[in-house]
Amino acid sequence: MRVFVTGASGWIGSAIVDELMTAGHEAVGLARSERSARSLAAKGAGVLRGDLDDLGSLRRGATDADAVVHMANKHDWGNPAESDRAERAAVETLATALVGTDRPFVVAAPLSGLVEGRPAVESDVSPAVGPDSNRGGSENLALDHVDQGVRTIVSRFAPSVHGAGDWGFVNFLVGAARKQGVSGYIGDGSAAWSAVHRSDAARLIRLGLEQAPAGTRLHVTAEEAITTKAIAEAIGRYLDVPVVSIDPEDADAHFGFVGSFFAKTMTASSEITRTTLSWTPTGPTLVEDIEAGAYATA
């Protein structure tokens, strides 16, 4: 298949491009910068210049492809409304271009906010509906197009997609520990995250693209729940710094913007996902990656 990938030069997207090409597919990546374009071209992928606000490029990329993987997001923590607006417009544009084709449309989504008090499961419906909701309600918007001949596959990602070079949440936690001289967790550290190694995540997206039925929700999680205290302890062992509890009121000052996320439980089961696609994660655990130096440059 010829697969159009947004976010193709990002942390997860670049691994997906590699996975697709290794499996014999042709990948075409959306490139916002010349640097991204060169990176994609160097590995033999096609390049389409544009960004999330260039709806014409998005439409052209989807129209010319056999499948679409949408990974890009502005992640503007200072202006979440703008991120939500751009996400909704991009999903609407891509999905509309695929109407009536039965082509796969893989859409990235978060696990946060799905349920309270238990790990989310694949049958849980996202409560985010409409343009004013989280991520502009893009998950439900994409699924709305299933009845219009789009093979939508929602991929809900663990908050930590880890590995050497990860610049996501854990990278900021390690950076905060270096700066503060202690590795912190919030309160009693009982909040928990799911996690998945980057290589396992990329393989699951490829399997979903190839096999998952329309309307499938995939949970891209290998470890269901790792307590934030266990994450802090692994960082403490790696950096050889004390591990301490941080008062919730001091979390933002200690951790920066990632503090609000570190206080949340974001966990999910992937049992149905594993059975549906015969997916068995094989990568290292999050703690193993931290202790092996995956965040040495944080």
Side-chain angles (χ1 to χ4, degrees):
M1 287 187 286
R2 177 184 172 92
V3 185
F4 176 51
V5 183
T6 72
S9 58
W11 167 244
I12 306 173
S14 59
I16 291 171
V17 167
D18 292 342
E19 173 72 24
L20 290 169
M21 295 178 65
T22 298
H25 300 295
E26 177 187 357
V28 178
L30 183 70
R32 183 176 58 181
S33 67
E34 184 60 34
R35 179 180 179 181
S36 294
R38 288 197 302 268
S39 174
L40 288 165
K43 63 176 66 177
V47 176
L48 177 62
R49 292 300 301 269
D51 57 32
L52 283 186
D53 291 324
D54 184 354
L55 300 184
S57 289
L58 295 181
R59 189 177 300 109
R60 185 163 62 256
T63 300
D64 293 343
D66 301 309
V68 174
V69 176
H70 176 49
M71 296 299 302
N73 188 279
K74 286 190 173 182
H75 295 303
D76 186 346
W77 309 116
N79 188 2
E82 168 57 19
S83 293
D84 294 344
R85 180 208 62 78
E87 171 70 357
R88 186 175 182 87
V91 168
E92 177 68 33
T93 298
L94 294 166
T96 299
L98 296 173
V99 165
T101 66
D102 292 320
R103 295 173 186 167
F105 179 31
V106 179
V107 179
L111 292 173
S112 59
L114 291 174
V115 296
E116 296 290 340
R118 63 170 174 82
V121 295
E122 290 88 341
S123 59
D124 287 320
V125 176
S126 171
V129 178
D132 296 328
S133 61
N134 184 38
R135 292 177 76 104
S138 59
E139 174 177 323
N140 284 309
L141 177 64
L143 290 169
D144 285 343
H145 286 77
V146 169
D147 291 338
Q148 301 176 52
V150 181
R151 183 155 69 89
T152 299
I153 301 148
V154 170
S155 299
R156 294 169 172 169
F157 280 84
S160 174
V161 181
H162 55 89
D166 175 18
W167 50 265
F169 289 153
V170 176
N171 179 67
F172 289 100
L173 295 174
V174 175
R178 290 186 191 278
K179 178 180 178 181
Q180 304 290 353
V182 297
S183 179
Y185 57 89
I186 299 173
D188 64 1
S190 61
W193 285 1
S194 292
V196 64
H197 191 267
R198 179 176 177 239
S199 61
D200 289 321
R203 180 160 46 87
L204 179 56
I205 295 306
R206 192 257 302 167
L207 290 172
L209 190 77
E210 294 171 343
Q211 303 175 26
T216 298
R217 298 183 187 92
L218 301 176
H219 280 185
V220 194
T221 63
E223 296 179 89
E224 184 172 303
I226 311 163
T227 66
T228 51
K229 184 177 181 180
I231 294 171
E233 289 172 340
I235 294 171
R237 287 192 296 273
Y238 173 66
L239 296 179
D240 194 22
V241 297
V243 179
V244 301
S245 171
I246 305 299
D247 189 287
E249 293 185 357
D250 299 327
D252 287 346
H254 183 91
F255 295 103
F257 85 96
V258 77
S260 60
F261 294 97
F262 205 38
K264 296 179 181 178
T265 288
M266 297 182 283
T267 62
S269 165
S270 60
E271 182 177 346
I272 295 174
T273 296
R274 296 179 192 225
T275 300
T276 300
L277 296 178
S278 298
W279 175 64
T280 301
T282 59
T285 67
L286 174 56
V287 166
E288 288 170 344
D289 258 349
I290 292 171
E291 294 181 338
Y295 298 89
T297 60

